[in-house]
Structures are given as structure tokens and as C-alpha cells.
Amino acid sequence: MKKALALALLAAAFVLSGCNTMVGVDNTDTHEGQFSNVTGALVTRYNADPEAVFNAVKRTIDSMKGTLRTGETDERGANKELLSVVVYARTVGDLEIKIDVLKAQDEITKANFTQVTVKYGFFGNLPESQQIVSKISANLRR
């Protein structure tokens, strides 16, 4: 009985911890992103201002056929600088697209960057998320 309980707990921990996979993305600042098989979200980072990334996200969603931007929620700092924003959109089949843009800082180098998290659909879709990151990168190209 104790052995079965231990194995069940180990299996539950394995399933809940999930698997994060490093994947290639079309991003000139970093050529890799992290995809979580548990959350279905693709995370990448840009060496750009959050406001510029947010504008690139809006241009990306607005240019996608069959996709409608449905709203956004933002958080601003004391000087009205953008700290984070979540952009919501719907696409064919009433699938939700959620894109988080977050101003962040590297713990080691103390360099500022903008983290972007893309989740396509309820369970996530890696190829679609990679295409969205590619379009954001194209709209952000300097």
C-alpha cells in the first residue's frame, strides 16, 4: 500500500510539474522560446520597450485574417510607463488568443527586457504561437 501511494504521488508530481521545451522562434533578440506543455504557453523575450512590443502585438492581431482583438488590460507605473499588458483576441472557431507583455529584468545582469507570453486556444498550440511570435518580431523590426 505504501509503495502504491508513493508511486501515485510521484506520478502526480511528474504530471503536475510538466515539461518545458526550448523551441526555435523567429526573434532577432533571442532565437529560442520556452513552451510549457502544461500551460500551453510560449514565452520569449525582446530587448525593446514594452510600449513598442505592445504596439507590435496590436498590429499583429489586427493583420491576422479571421482574428478580432477583443480587449486588453494594462498596468502602468507612476510615470505612465507601461509595466504589463494582456491582449485578448478571438479567432476562427472562437479560439481565444491571449498575449501577455511584461516589463522584466534579468536577475543576473540586471538588464531590462520585455517578456511576451502567447497562448493560442484553451490547451495551447505551439505552431500557431510560433507564427504569432514571428509576426510580432516582423512588426517590431527596427
Side-chain angles (χ1 to χ4, degrees):
M1 181 68 178
K2 286 183 181 180
K3 194 180 253 188
L5 180 62
L7 285 174
L9 287 174
L10 181 63
F14 179 72
V15 167
L16 292 176
S17 67
C19 179
N20 288 332
T21 306
M22 298 304 284
V23 295
V25 292
D26 183 16
N27 178 350
T28 56
D29 296 335
T30 179
H31 296 290
E32 62 185 21
Q34 186 174 9
F35 183 75
S36 171
N37 292 319
V38 173
T39 63
L42 175 63
V43 180
T44 190
R45 61 171 58 180
Y46 292 98
N47 297 328
D49 181 60
E51 195 76 45
V53 175
F54 173 48
N55 290 331
V57 167
K58 290 192 297 187
R59 284 192 298 275
T60 297
I61 295 297
D62 293 343
S63 69
M64 294 171 59
K65 293 185 181 196
T67 303
L68 176 67
R69 191 163 32 111
T70 57
E72 57 212 30
T73 59
D74 66 350
E75 179 183 343
R76 298 201 176 259
N79 297 330
K80 303 283 184 184
E81 77 273 10
L82 186 64
L83 299 177
S84 69
V85 64
V86 181
V87 178
Y88 299 95
R90 291 280 178 179
T91 190
V92 176
D94 200 30
L95 293 174
E96 181 182 56
I97 300 171
K98 181 180 172 187
I99 303 174
D100 295 318
V101 177
L102 174 70
K103 181 178 181 179
Q105 186 178 54
D106 190 294
E107 295 175 4
I108 298 169
T109 64
K110 303 297 182 200
N112 290 329
F113 63 91
T114 301
Q115 178 177 300
V116 175
T117 305
V118 178
K119 184 170 182 185
Y120 187 96
F122 183 76
F123 295 108
N125 185 322
L126 177 58
E128 293 291 339
S129 297
Q130 285 176 306
Q131 287 180 4
I132 291 172
V133 167
S134 177
K135 292 174 184 175
I136 292 170
S137 299
N139 284 321
L140 187 63
R141 296 241 161 89
R142 311 165 235 340

